[in-house]
Amino acid sequence: MYTWEDRARAQSEKTQSLTLRPENTAGVVRAYIEHGLGESGLLQKLYYIGPQFRRERPQKGRYRQFSQIGAEVIGPPSAGSESPLRDAEVLEMLATLLDELGITGWTLELNSVGSAADRARYNEALRAALVPVVGQMCGDCQRRAETNPLRVLDCKVAADQPIIETLPVIADSLDEESKKHFAAVTAALDAAGVPYTRNHRLVRGLDYYTRTTFEFTHGGLGAQNALLGGGRYDGLSEMLGGPRAPGIGFAMGEDRLVLTLLAALEQGVVAAKADAFIAPLGEGMNAAALVLARELRHQGLWIELGEGSFRLKKSFEAADKTARQIVILGEDELQSGILTVKNFSTGVQTKVPRGELAVFLSN
Ligand code: HAM
């Protein structure tokens, strides 16, 4: 939480306590309860984009004000909200999103933190295992061993790692139901071909998590390598006074998304240029050029659209700066349906039938 006493505006006024929101999941669940969204009996798929605030020590990728893009799938159990298929569906969607953004080299780290009872059992096991070794660990670990032993697993101090490796893992404290749920999540991911690695230390900071927890990490981010994180929170609605409403969601750090895309641009793994620039020959061709741009964009291409009043030389210069190829659209091309395409890296000019243009340009 980011809470402080605000200054009084006038001498006669008292100071007031201000708290800025650190995340949105609890707020979404509160809204779900307040507006009776469970009454429809359907799954609710809710999203948010906006600033969050945490009192953290700032460093690359970790700020006191940052922005998240998040979504939650929540509903009554009868709508399938508890199903492991929901977890796999959210994870598959995220993998596809990152792929489509051109982000390669991501890792999906996956774990299960079980039920509240599983976690309580694990806490005890961890606390007991820490007693004989914690004296050799860093100051933070010594404090966490007392206050919240799960946080010891987040320690990054190199000298502590061999000790942490010997501690019990939460997988051993899961009950049969939680084990079965997790196995079904991974089976669906395997079937869909979504790669993941089990990270036994991924217990996550927020208290509301149950069962599946995950993070998508990326090497281009440095120490703060989580591009997005999330998990299941099956008891949260009841904790806030609502009906049973299991849910799962994620939040992506928008600032970290930008850092990842910049790193990918530098490595040349995401495209910095459009697939093609359409150059209408004369203002009379502008509308036809828009029709062609629309046609190609609907087929998933990244198109830059020129302007018919440009001289051909100007169109070529603009195209060379912004796109890999140029498509010339004049009266003749429109009538014949055969377009001229020039590829800037090879210098080759080709005549392409309009019906084959999308495939040609995407290669
Ligand atoms: P979180 O892991 O605390 O989860 O944050 C999600 C993402 O927000 C992180 O992976 C990271 O990209 C970004 N982020 C977090 N803190 C900072 C920061 N100080 N500076 C920059 N970026 C940051 C949640 O917030 C959960 N509400 C996610 C969730 C949704 N779980 C279930 N549903």
Side-chain angles (χ1 to χ4, degrees):
M1 286 286 196
Y2 205 163
T3 302
W4 75 94
E5 284 300 311
D6 193 22
R7 269 186 308 185
R9 276 176 301 167
Q11 273 192 336
S12 56
E13 272 186 28
K14 287 196 186 128
T15 57
Q16 46 183 343
S17 174
L18 282 185
T19 298
L20 300 179
R21 65 174 182 198
E23 61 108 43
N24 262 354
T25 306
V28 167
V29 175
R30 227 173 275 125
Y32 173 91
I33 298 167
E34 198 175 315
H35 297 282
L37 296 184
E39 285 157 24
S40 71
L42 299 172
L43 277 181
Q44 301 292 321
K45 298 179 177 177
L46 307 165
Y47 78 95
Y48 47 84
I49 300 174
Q52 315 291 343
F53 304 84
R54 295 183 190 178
R55 194 170 187 285
E56 313 211 76
R57 199 177 303 151
Q59 55 172 268
K60 185 188 166 200
R62 188 207 266 164
Y63 316 111
R64 291 189 165 189
Q65 176 174 354
F66 58 99
S67 191
Q68 283 185 340
I69 304 171
E72 314 291 344
V73 186
I74 179 170
S78 58
S81 57
E82 223 170 354
S83 165
L85 191 55
R86 293 285 84 73
D87 311 39
E89 186 182 23
V90 168
L91 293 167
E92 190 283 327
M93 180 199 74
L94 288 167
T96 301
L97 174 67
L98 297 185
D99 286 345
E100 287 193 357
L101 286 171
I103 296 172
T104 56
W106 50 260
T107 302
L108 164 56
E109 300 189 18
L110 198 59
N111 199 17
S112 174
V113 295
S115 64
D118 295 343
R119 229 168 23 262
R121 227 177 6 256
Y122 181 55
N123 246 307
E124 285 320 304
L126 207 50
R127 212 180 276 276
L130 279 165
V131 171
V133 291
V134 75
Q136 307 154 39
M137 299 180 82
C138 72
D140 277 345
C141 282
Q142 301 199 10
R143 188 174 41 78
R144 289 166 174 167
E146 287 291 320
T147 55
N148 186 358
L150 283 183
R151 306 298 301 170
V152 168
L153 304 180
D154 290 337
C155 175
K156 300 277 188 311
V157 175
D160 288 352
Q161 301 311 307
I163 301 174
I164 294 173
E165 291 305 314
T166 65
L167 296 173
V169 293
I170 198 162
D172 298 332
S173 297
L174 300 186
D175 65 15
E176 280 314 306
E177 281 303 303
S178 293
K179 280 185 189 159
K180 222 171 93 189
H181 194 277
F182 189 69
V185 175
T186 54
L189 291 175
D190 289 339
V194 176
Y196 58 87
T197 56
R198 176 91 184 243
N199 178 354
H200 290 286
R201 284 170 63 172
L202 186 72
V203 288
R204 308 218 357 105
L206 300 156
D207 291 336
Y208 51 61
Y209 287 113
T210 53
R211 295 191 170 166
T212 313
T213 51
F214 60 86
E215 280 181 0
F216 280 76
T217 57
H218 196 274
L221 281 170
Q224 297 301 316
N225 67 351
L227 176 55
L228 66 92
R232 184 166 270 290
Y233 43 86
D234 290 350
L236 183 55
S237 174
E238 292 98 307
M239 267 162 61
L240 298 174
R244 241 188 110 209
I248 180 163
F250 70 90
M252 180 186 293
E254 219 176 325
D255 315 74
R256 294 191 193 174
L257 173 63
V258 171
L259 287 174
T260 311
L261 285 170
L262 286 175
L265 261 178
E266 268 168 33
Q267 292 162 2
V269 293
V270 294
K273 285 189 168 184
D275 293 313
F277 181 103
I278 299 176
L281 292 183
E283 285 172 59
M285 295 307 294
N286 273 349
L290 179 63
V291 173
L292 181 61
R294 179 175 159 88
E295 210 171 284
L296 295 169
R297 284 172 178 156
H298 275 201
Q299 295 179 79
L301 272 85
W302 175 8
I303 299 296
E304 288 291 328
L305 187 53
E307 154 61 42
S309 64
F310 289 0
R311 299 240 300 278
L312 197 55
K313 184 164 177 281
K314 182 170 169 182
S315 287
F316 265 87
E317 281 167 2
D320 197 11
K321 287 194 189 115
T322 55
R324 296 186 293 110
Q325 303 163 95
I326 185 169
V327 180
I328 315 283
L329 185 66
E331 195 60 54
D332 290 350
E333 285 81 2
L334 189 64
Q335 294 308 324
S336 65
I338 306 288
L339 295 125
T340 304
V341 179
K342 183 172 176 184
N343 183 312
F344 290 113
S345 55
T346 61
V348 174
Q349 202 157 300
T350 318
K351 300 259 183 224
V352 185
R354 189 165 179 150
E356 293 166 24
L357 194 57
V359 174
F360 183 87
L361 293 175
S362 55
N363 289 329

